[in-house]
Amino acid sequence: MSVRPPARTGDPVSAVDTPALVIDLDAFERNLDAMAAYAKAAGVRLRPHAKTHKSVDVALAQAARGAVGQCCQKVSEAEVLVDGGIGDVLVSNEVVGESKVRRLAELAARATVSVCADDVEEVRAYVAAAKGAGATISVLVEIDAGAGRCGVAAGEPAAVLARQIMDEDGLSFGGLQAYHGGAQHLRTPAERASAIASAAERVRKTLDAFDKAGISCPLVTGAGTGTFNEEACSGLWGELQAGSYCFMDADYARNQPAEGSNLPRFEHALLIATTVMSVAVPQQCVIDAGHKTAAIDSGLPVVWRGDGLTYAAANDEHGVVTLKAGATRQPSLGSRVWLVPGHIDPTVNLHYWYVGVRGGLDDGVVEAVWPVSARGCVF
Amino acid sequence: MSVRPPARTGDPVSAVDTPALVIDLDAFERNLDAMAAYAKAAGVRLRPHAKTHKSVDVALAQAARGAVGQCCQKVSEAEVLVDGGIGDVLVSNEVVGESKVRRLAELAARATVSVCADDVEEVRAYVAAAKGAGATISVLVEIDAGAGRCGVAAGEPAAVLARQIMDEDGLSFGGLQAYHGGAQHLRTPAERASAIASAAERVRKTLDAFDKAGISCPLVTGAGTGTFNEEACSGLWGELQAGSYCFMDADYARNQPAEGSNLPRFEHALLIATTVMSVAVPQQCVIDAGHKTAAIDSGLPVVWRGDGLTYAAANDEHGVVTLKAGATRQPSLGSRVWLVPGHIDPTVNLHYWYVGVRGGLDDGVVEAVWPVSARGCVF
């Protein structure tokens, strides 16, 4: 099922076929450098989340800047990363189902692999699979850090589960997974700080219960692009799992940034190149990018540097871009419209290729063409 | 970028890995048979829309039942269909951009290919590419049938464009594309009838303008799963482009069906198999299917035969399924939950494989494993 890329190295950016994901390599590298420098200065590990980029090439670029490994959500993502040369992957999720757990264990036999648990039945399945594969799987206890989705309750239930992991041959206890997904897009710094403060209470309660039970916790891992400074400054989390920072998106751009000169500011480094394909209806144009190109679960994509243009409606293959009141100049048929993705992770997942451009989106040249290695990896 | 399928032929349905698209082949074939019989009795051509199924196997099954060809929205979809053996493809869309138009013309040199236009600049580009490839491209005039997206205004502007097509060597005039996307999910039969009656007015106005201009219109093509009987009964449309009928979805299920014993009733023939992967938080369970598995642009997926269960929230890789008030039995870890897709087209586009099951979703056996041939074909 091989699909040709929308550009070749050496092409001018104007020649990139559309719609396509275009990485502004200069901005992308600044984002990677900024987060690496932040983590180093804060004394925490960085384990970027591949659910955002789904790319071996991006993961390798992060490794080159000191990332300790990658996170992902699915065993098939982990397989792609390991097959691409990434040596250490945390599946920051529970894995349930005989086939998946067997594949996880087989992967653990050839790379450093960790996974989460929030139920002893999961632990039992991990044990059986680890034995079958002759591997050791590192298992972290996931607590519900406030999102109310997965995870055991903080405190004693977490200690009970940790003990169940430690009692098993074939497993090692990797620590605590505490990720508050619901906090990432709270719009004000105060709301985010408060949400992570609550998460931190749950972590402390859990670490106290571990102490009482004589359990040593090797690591607390979590955080995302919206909140990572809160987790780092709490002194509790030793590893950050931010993903979106590498590219950013319109939803994160609606967060009010926290104050602080030491805090990295990430730039929009991934834009969607589109073409105007109809100008037949007045006061609008239609571009070749709907929600099969740009995910709309967290809002519509936003026109980049689009004076007078609003991405108003997404159909499957078409985007209706309206002219703002007072604007009269319809973009011409065949002209380029750049979009900031509404939500980067599911947008990336729709595509086969990244086109990496050096020298900016106006005059740049295609320098890199990277596959979206783990696109569509759902099991 | 080869991705293994989630099942093999001969597997019991219980062994299908998740999440996965599962076709109930018996229901699917009944849907295909019902629409083929309807079109034959109504004396109209059926040109199913591949934007729904994106599958050479489905297209071949439709061809075997008398479909005249396929529709699609993108040149890359057309290439996949032609490379899979489909001889006649209508790109029911405008194609703009040198690279795309060149590929369209190259395709027209080896299959019967038609495309739409709503601007003379598009026609000029089609001409140049047709000459370059030594091919003839059939070009239809698209009118705005009421959706206000693409398409010239009905009447004289359409006749002007048709004349511009007819005047060019390398192009043939294919007729009128009149598709009212906004009508498909109007909930009552009366609303849908009214919308298509308005579309029919626009078609009549256009055909009158063609007559005045001495232009013979070979065909009017359009319609969708929501409205096709309206177009067929008007006597104006000679070809139906319905797509979703082959599988159906939750959004179409919310349409009140029109009365009429001759009208086909389509069944849910594609379900998403998922697995419960966390039961840690009370009154809910979490399944392994979020919006990277089931598109949510037209509403959430719906639990199939799910007494007491509601698919309440979609994150990227997780679906939160809540227990209805009064229900206490949490589904067990590892158990199967079936989902009806919210919107079939963009859901299919997220996946690599269809698993076709014979004998129903309870006790059936995997009989077919089909690639989603044109998944992710955006340019």
Side-chain angles (χ1 to χ4, degrees), chain B residues 26 54 76 80 108 125 144 180 185 187 195 232 234 243 273 301 304 338 352:
Chain B
D26 299 299
K54 286 180 165 277
S76 47
V80 166
D144 178 2
H180 192 346
H185 293 90
R187 293 308 184 198
S234 73
W304 173 248
W338 291 98
Y352 285 103

Side-chain angles (χ1 to χ4, degrees), chain A residues 17-18 100 118 149 278 315, chain B residues 17 100 118 149 278 315:
Chain A
D17 206 349
T18 67
K100 294 178 178 54
D118 68 4
R149 185 174 75 191
S278 178
N315 296 162
Chain B
D17 207 349
K100 295 180 177 55
D118 68 4
R149 186 173 73 191
S278 178
N315 296 160

Side-chain angles (χ1 to χ4, degrees), chain B residues 328-345:
Chain B
T328 48
R329 194 184 65 79
Q330 224 179 9
S332 55
L333 202 65
S335 60
R336 173 74 48 93
V337 174
W338 291 98
L339 302 177
V340 178
H343 183 187
I344 185 66
D345 305 17

Side-chain angles (χ1 to χ4, degrees), chain B:
Chain B
M1 259 184 274
S2 116
V3 175
R4 79 173 76 77
R8 298 161 304 194
T9 56
D11 283 350
V13 68
S14 57
V16 176
D17 207 349
T18 67
L21 302 181
V22 176
I23 298 173
D24 177 335
L25 290 170
D26 299 299
F28 166 73
E29 289 162 1
R30 288 191 293 266
N31 287 345
L32 260 53
D33 291 341
M35 183 62 100
Y38 169 85
K40 185 174 178 183
V44 291
R45 290 156 45 119
L46 179 62
R47 183 186 285 277
H49 217 304
K51 69 187 181 185
T52 295
H53 60 70
K54 286 180 165 277
S55 157
V56 164
D57 295 278
V58 173
L60 291 169
Q62 291 168 326
R65 290 163 173 81
V68 299
Q70 292 280 314
C71 297
C72 64
Q73 298 282 55
K74 300 282 186 167
V75 177
S76 47
E77 290 175 320
E79 288 168 326
V80 166
L81 292 167
V82 168
D83 286 348
I86 301 301
D88 186 326
V89 180
L90 162 60
V91 183
S92 60
N93 202 9
E94 292 66 38
V95 174
V96 173
E98 191 274 329
S99 159
K100 295 180 177 55
V101 175
R102 177 169 33 82
R103 286 164 41 223
L104 178 78
E106 287 165 3
L107 202 63
R110 56 189 183 97
T112 303
V113 171
S114 35
V115 69
C116 298
D118 68 4
D119 189 295
V120 67
E121 292 302 327
E122 294 153 8
V123 173
R124 290 186 183 132
Y126 296 155
V127 171
K131 285 186 175 142
T136 301
I137 309 174
S138 167
V139 182
L140 287 76
V141 167
E142 176 164 21
I143 58 165
D144 178 2
R149 186 173 73 191
C150 300
V152 286
E156 200 192 327
V160 167
L161 192 59
R163 177 62 66 195
Q164 285 163 331
I165 293 165
M166 296 169 75
D167 283 348
E168 296 286 358
D169 294 332
L171 303 184
S172 66
F173 174 52
L176 200 61
Q177 162 78 13
Y179 170 67
H180 192 346
Q184 300 307 313
H185 293 90
L186 295 172
R187 293 308 184 198
T188 67
E191 288 171 305
R192 297 194 297 273
S194 170
I196 300 308
S198 297
E201 280 305 308
R202 296 179 185 212
V203 169
R204 275 189 208 96
K205 181 177 177 180
T206 303
L207 295 176
D208 288 347
F210 284 175
D211 280 345
K212 275 205 184 68
I215 294 169
S216 169
C217 183
L219 181 71
V220 178
T221 178
T225 295
T227 62
F228 63 90
N229 189 52
E230 301 297 331
E231 281 91 347
C233 291
S234 73
L236 295 171
W237 279 261
E239 183 176 274
L240 308 177
Q241 300 177 357
S244 300
Y245 76 94
C246 66
F247 294 140
M248 296 304 273
D249 60 27
D251 197 21
Y252 266 124
R254 289 189 282 272
N255 280 15
Q256 288 173 32
E259 297 298 307
S261 56
N262 68 318
L263 295 181
R265 295 270 186 264
F266 302 114
E267 307 168 50
H268 288 302
L270 186 145
L271 284 294
I272 308 170
T274 80
T275 297
V276 174
M277 44 71 68
S278 178
V279 293
V281 175
Q283 285 305 108
Q284 70 181 39
C285 65
V286 183
I287 60 175
D288 58 0
H291 58 74
K292 286 179 181 173
T293 289
I296 58 172
D297 58 283
S298 302
L300 294 176
V302 174
V303 178
W304 173 248
R305 301 180 309 188
D307 291 338
L309 301 178
T310 304
Y311 190 106
N315 296 160
D316 290 40
E317 296 95 359
H318 299 85
V320 179
V321 173
T322 54
L323 306 190
K324 288 182 179 150
T328 48
R329 194 184 65 79
Q330 224 179 9
S332 55
L333 202 65
S335 60
R336 173 74 48 93
V337 174
W338 291 98
L339 302 177
V340 178
H343 183 187
I344 185 66
D345 305 17
T347 293
V348 157
N349 188 53
L350 292 165
H351 293 262
Y352 285 103
W353 295 99
Y354 290 113
V355 177
V357 168
R358 181 72 63 189
L361 300 184
D362 295 314
D363 308 307
V365 176
V366 176
E367 181 183 287
V369 181
W370 297 334
V372 182
S373 326
R375 76 158 296 189
C377 283
V378 288
F379 53 87

Side-chain angles (χ1 to χ4, degrees), chain A residues 94 117-119 141-145 150-155 157-159 161 202, chain B residues 280-281:
Chain A
E94 292 67 37
D118 68 4
D119 189 293
V141 168
E142 175 164 23
I143 58 166
D144 177 3
C150 301
V152 286
L161 191 59
R202 295 178 185 214
Chain B
V281 175

Side-chain angles (χ1 to χ4, degrees), chain A residues 79-91:
Chain A
E79 289 168 325
V80 166
L81 292 166
V82 168
D83 287 347
I86 302 301
D88 185 326
V89 179
L90 161 61
V91 182

